[in-house]
Amino acid sequence: MAGGPIQSSYNLIHHLKDYYDFSVVTRDTDYTDAIPYKDIKSDSWNILPNGMRVYYFSEKNLSFPNMSKLIHEEEFDIAYLNSMYSPRFTIMPLFILHKLGKKVILAPRGMLAPTAIAIKSWKKKPFLLWIKNSKMIKNMKFHAASNHEAEHIMQVFGKKAEIKIAPNLPGKMELPVSVEKRKEPGSVNLMNVARISPEKNLHYALEALHNVKGKIKFDIYGPVYDYAYWEKCKELLAKLPSNIEAEYLGPITKESIPQAMKDVHFLFMPTQGENFGHTILEAMLCGCPPIISDRTPWTGMEPLKAGFDIPLEEQKKFEEVLAKAVSMGAEEFNAWSEGTRAFAYSFINSPKLLEQSIDIFI
């Protein structure tokens, strides 16, 4: 299951390949994996079937000298860094690029939100202060995915920081064929697709479910990132009342999500913050209204019957919305399902999205 920042970068390159030439530098393994990707050559440039040019570093060769050598040998105008705190793919390249006087676009990917900085702040705050007070900020531009993220960037780096706002581009996709889902009053199928970690707030979701009546099926997908947090979630899973059938089904590929959502009514994901939320968009295209926090770009949905964005401080409101989801009959649910699809489809077909992304590199 590719994380949001990876998906955002892939989509950006895929949409802009006719406007700019991109070369990608990354690891030869997925997160937490030790086995390199199939059909690639490590520590070398690869031309993928889709035409993308990618250099895959092996773990043993991912060092400062090798990164420096690679950057010095390449001819490029701008370096786009798809992360905020990565020691090897943000901090290390920043040192090298600064010495070369190269222009840098830094995409924080939500990592400058106060809730994100608060996690291991003793490491993050000195690093952020170092960037703010260094000369490298003069050659640096920030890619904010929303006005909200732009505010977070200014809070950290000041109002003089150069910021380009462009929402993350969705993957190129067609609107799936509308399929009416069976929905009976008194029961509901929910789904959560996210890594198991505190910021995704699965524990909160399980707490909110605890007092909701009716027959509830809750499918949980995603890789475990924080095992201590997962143990706390498992304790709550074991204590759920008998009317709730909650099951952890492990990681899921992006391609498998539409099939998994075939019989799902609502996406339930009260995340502590999303820079974009690719899974939220995918759920909406599949006719699953999201029940999420108000800490994502997906807001103002309820009047359009497209979903619910609720402050995390109002857990009772989550419980009320979940109860409403349980009580819906087929006619009411299908009206919400189509409202959700219409909302998502109008977003992905907005020509302004592409224009804003092109402007990032100007």
Side-chain angles (χ1 to χ4, degrees):
M1 187 178 114
I6 297 170
Q7 189 65 50
S8 295
S9 288
Y10 176 83
N11 293 345
L12 183 71
I13 294 168
H14 194 49
H15 280 276
L16 301 189
K17 63 184 180 182
D18 293 333
Y19 301 89
Y20 304 109
D21 292 325
F22 290 91
S23 294
V24 179
V25 180
T26 187
R27 298 176 188 272
D28 67 355
T29 59
D30 203 351
Y31 184 80
T32 72
D33 283 355
I35 301 171
Y37 299 119
K38 292 180 180 178
D39 304 320
I40 61 108
K41 188 176 180 182
S42 299
D43 303 312
S44 179
W45 285 106
N46 295 249
I47 305 298
L48 304 189
N50 61 7
M52 198 177 291
R53 183 172 182 257
V54 183
Y55 190 98
Y56 292 100
F57 266 114
S58 65
E59 181 63 27
K60 67 177 181 180
N61 286 319
L62 185 47
S63 63
F64 188 95
N66 288 336
M67 181 68 79
S68 181
K69 182 174 182 291
L70 183 68
I71 291 174
H72 277 79
E73 288 176 349
E74 286 294 302
E75 291 185 10
F76 60 96
D77 300 304
I78 300 170
Y80 184 96
L81 303 181
N82 185 48
S83 122
M84 191 67 237
Y85 306 115
S86 171
R88 292 174 174 176
F89 288 96
T90 303
I91 301 172
M92 192 160 69
L94 272 178
F95 272 106
I96 301 162
L97 293 163
H98 176 54
K99 288 184 178 180
L100 288 174
K102 288 287 187 179
K103 292 181 179 179
V104 172
I105 297 173
L106 185 55
R109 301 298 183 200
M111 289 293 102
L112 291 179
T115 51
I117 293 175
I119 300 170
K120 296 183 180 179
S121 62
W122 58 274
K123 287 202 302 186
K124 293 175 181 176
K125 287 184 177 180
F127 169 63
L128 296 173
L129 191 62
W130 168 68
I131 291 180
K132 181 180 179 180
N133 294 330
S134 71
K135 292 181 180 178
M136 68 175 64
I137 199 81
K138 294 180 180 178
N139 282 332
M140 188 180 293
K141 186 190 300 182
F142 293 91
H143 172 197
S146 64
N147 291 327
H148 200 48
E149 184 170 36
E151 291 173 7
H152 292 156
I153 293 169
M154 285 189 286
Q155 286 170 8
V156 174
F157 296 109
K159 293 183 179 179
K160 291 184 179 179
E162 185 179 357
I163 302 168
K164 288 290 182 83
I165 301 173
N168 290 329
L169 289 164
K172 290 190 175 183
M173 60 184 81
E174 298 294 330
L175 184 65
V177 176
S178 177
V179 178
E180 284 197 6
K181 303 180 183 186
R182 293 186 62 186
K183 176 71 176 72
E184 297 178 359
S187 68
V188 71
N189 296 340
L190 306 173
M191 185 175 180
N192 182 294
V193 186
R195 63 181 181 268
I196 310 295
S197 59
E199 62 271 20
K200 298 302 180 182
N201 234 7
L202 176 61
H203 194 273
Y204 181 102
L206 295 170
E207 284 183 328
L209 275 175
H210 201 275
N211 295 320
V212 182
K213 307 300 181 184
K215 185 179 178 182
I216 299 170
K217 187 173 184 293
F218 187 32
D219 293 338
I220 302 164
Y221 291 91
V224 177
Y225 271 42
D226 188 319
Y227 286 92
Y229 180 76
W230 176 226
E231 288 301 317
K232 292 179 182 178
C233 291
K234 286 198 291 185
E235 289 178 10
L236 270 187
L237 279 167
K239 295 176 182 177
L240 286 173
S242 59
N243 65 300
I244 301 173
E245 179 191 341
E247 185 178 7
Y248 174 60
L249 298 166
I252 186 172
T253 63
K254 181 180 182 296
E255 295 73 23
S256 301
I257 289 176
Q259 180 61 27
M261 288 183 170
K262 182 168 61 72
D263 297 317
V264 171
H265 301 119
F266 293 87
L267 179 77
F268 180 36
M269 202 171 78
T271 171
Q272 289 192 29
E274 294 293 326
N275 194 43
F276 182 72
H278 292 278
T279 300
I280 298 170
L281 178 60
E282 288 162 7
M284 289 194 289
L285 288 168
C286 291
C288 297
I291 301 173
I292 55 177
S293 74
D294 63 349
R295 300 182 186 181
T296 84
W298 305 101
T299 57
M301 297 181 293
E302 189 170 354
L304 301 172
K305 291 191 173 180
F308 304 87
D309 49 280
I310 306 165
L312 289 175
E313 297 77 18
E314 299 179 19
Q315 186 169 313
K316 284 292 182 185
K317 175 67 174 176
F318 272 101
E319 293 177 10
E320 290 169 8
V321 167
L322 289 166
K324 177 182 176 70
V326 172
S327 68
M328 281 186 188
E331 186 177 347
E332 184 180 9
F333 171 75
N334 283 318
W336 277 85
S337 183
E338 284 307 304
T340 299
R341 282 161 49 84
F343 183 90
Y345 197 56
S346 66
F347 172 82
I348 65 175
N349 282 282
S350 168
K352 187 179 179 182
L353 282 180
L354 184 61
E355 293 168 7
Q356 288 175 298
S357 293
I358 292 171
D359 187 56
I360 296 170
F361 298 92
I362 295 174

